[in-house]
């Protein structure tokens, strides 16, 4: 029963202390090719349980060192990144999907591959893909985005994806500025998700009726609205609409 290989690591992460049992670890390495006989659904279930374990970061590092995770995921795992995300979330409810993203998702293509590789649920796969898409605009940051940029992240991707992406971005950044990253996470939790206060009807009422022209005008207006800092007051909204109409004339 090759599932016992994964359960050896999961039980070690849940209940063990110190180094892994050497005999069990050696047996797992010798029999690792047998993991290919397991269904993707069983691997998925065991891996998510492992990622919620008390010593998930330590044991996942051991599994990666033994070369067992890469074949299962078809992606290069990053146990150091997982460790940072576990530390960021210390004291919060365990989140196996976010930990899975930390372990091996950097790009939307990675999330799409995991969907197939682990037979993820639609909801789980969509969450990973949304987080990866939101993260693409944060690669290379070593400090959190400014408040107006965080509002843009909320507007484009929603609260869940924005929150996931900011944690992954912090894990990818150089150590330090933990307080600033914590404030960014709180900002995303507490700030209302911006809603575009315009629709195609605003342009139809002003004589633009062709579908493609309405779409282009809406995109231009959205860009102006975001650049202006997501205003809500009627005077600013009217000004932005007038500027967009003049630009499309």
């Amino acid at each position: 029963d090759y599932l016992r290989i994964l359960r050896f690591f999961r039980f070690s992460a849940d209940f063990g202390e110190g180094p892994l049992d050497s005999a069990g670890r050696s047996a797992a390495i010798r029999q690792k090719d047998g993991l290919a006989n397991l269904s993707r659904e069983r691997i998925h279930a065991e891996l998510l349980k492992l990622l919620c374990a008390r010593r998930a970061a330590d044991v996942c590092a051991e599994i990666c060192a033994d070369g067992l995770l890469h074949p299962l995921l078809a992606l290069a795992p990053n146990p150091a990144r997982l460790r940072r995300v576990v530390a960021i979330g210390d004291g919060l409810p365990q989140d196996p999907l976010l930990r899975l993203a930390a372990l091996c998702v950097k790009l939307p293509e990675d999330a799409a591959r995991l969907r197939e590789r682990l037979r993820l649920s639609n909801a789980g796969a969509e969450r990973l893909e949304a987080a990866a898409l939101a993260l693409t605009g944060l690669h290379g940051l070593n400090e959190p985005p400014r408040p107006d940029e965080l509002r843009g992240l909320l507007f484009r991707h929603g609260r869940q994806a924005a929150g996931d992406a900011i944690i992954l971005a912090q894990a990818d950044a150089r150590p330090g500025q933990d307080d600033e990253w914590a404030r960014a996470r709180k900002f995303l939790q507490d700030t209302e998700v911006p809603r575009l206060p315009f629709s195609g009807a605003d342009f139809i009422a002003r004589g633009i009726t062709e579908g493609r022209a309405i779409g282009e005008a809406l995109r231009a207006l959205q860009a102006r609205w975001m650049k202006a800092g997501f205003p809500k007051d009627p005077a600013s909204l009217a000004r932005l609409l007038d500027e967009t109409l003049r630009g499309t004339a």
Side-chain angles (χ1 to χ4, degrees):
D1 182 0
Y2 294 104
L3 191 64
R4 291 184 179 183
I5 296 175
L6 296 180
R7 287 181 172 167
F8 162 73
F9 289 111
R10 175 162 69 87
F11 293 159
S12 297
D14 261 326
F15 308 114
E17 297 292 347
L20 294 173
D21 176 77
S22 59
R25 184 176 184 180
S26 295
I29 294 170
R30 286 196 307 271
Q31 299 295 326
K32 66 181 181 181
D33 290 345
L35 291 171
N37 297 319
L38 297 176
S39 72
R40 299 177 187 186
E41 290 82 1
R42 297 183 83 184
I43 293 171
H44 168 205
E46 279 299 317
L47 182 57
L48 291 191
K49 290 176 183 177
L50 169 60
L51 289 170
C52 280
R54 178 175 55 89
R55 299 177 60 233
D58 291 338
V59 172
C60 280
E62 301 281 5
I63 300 173
C64 292
D66 292 340
L68 274 72
L69 269 186
H70 194 173
L72 296 180
L73 300 171
L75 292 167
N78 187 338
R81 188 174 186 237
L82 170 63
R83 187 181 298 279
R84 289 192 291 272
V85 166
V86 170
I88 291 167
D90 187 32
L92 300 176
Q94 294 164 339
D95 189 335
L97 276 176
L98 181 59
R99 291 184 177 188
L100 179 61
L103 184 63
C104 55
V105 173
K106 289 278 284 186
L107 300 168
E109 293 86 349
D110 299 333
R113 185 174 297 177
L114 279 183
R115 176 195 281 266
E116 173 62 24
R117 192 72 179 180
L118 295 181
R119 293 285 195 268
L120 297 177
S121 68
N122 286 337
E126 288 166 5
R127 179 181 171 190
L128 292 185
E129 290 168 4
L133 185 61
L135 182 62
T136 57
L138 304 176
H139 287 314
L141 292 184
N142 283 309
E143 57 186 26
R146 300 187 304 272
D148 58 331
E149 294 170 328
L150 292 171
R151 280 195 182 87
L153 199 67
L154 278 173
F155 175 67
R156 289 189 298 272
H157 302 287
R159 196 181 308 281
Q160 179 74 72
D164 289 344
I166 208 71
I167 291 174
L168 295 173
Q170 180 180 355
D172 290 333
R174 286 195 298 265
Q177 301 196 45
D178 289 350
D179 291 344
E180 289 81 357
W181 285 104
R183 282 193 286 271
R185 296 197 304 274
K186 187 172 187 340
F187 182 94
L188 291 175
Q189 293 166 4
D190 297 344
T191 301
E192 180 182 358
V193 178
R195 306 291 181 191
L196 184 66
F198 302 100
S199 70
D202 294 299
F203 293 101
I204 292 172
R206 287 159 176 80
I208 299 177
T209 57
E210 196 270 323
R212 179 177 296 179
I214 291 173
E216 291 174 353
L218 266 177
R219 286 190 290 273
L221 180 53
Q222 176 179 300
R224 288 178 184 271
W225 179 65
M226 292 175 65
K227 186 175 181 180
F230 306 93
K232 296 181 180 179
D233 62 285
S236 295
L237 298 179
R239 176 178 55 78
L240 291 171
L241 181 56
D242 288 342
E243 289 174 354
T244 304
L245 287 167
R246 287 196 297 271
T248 59

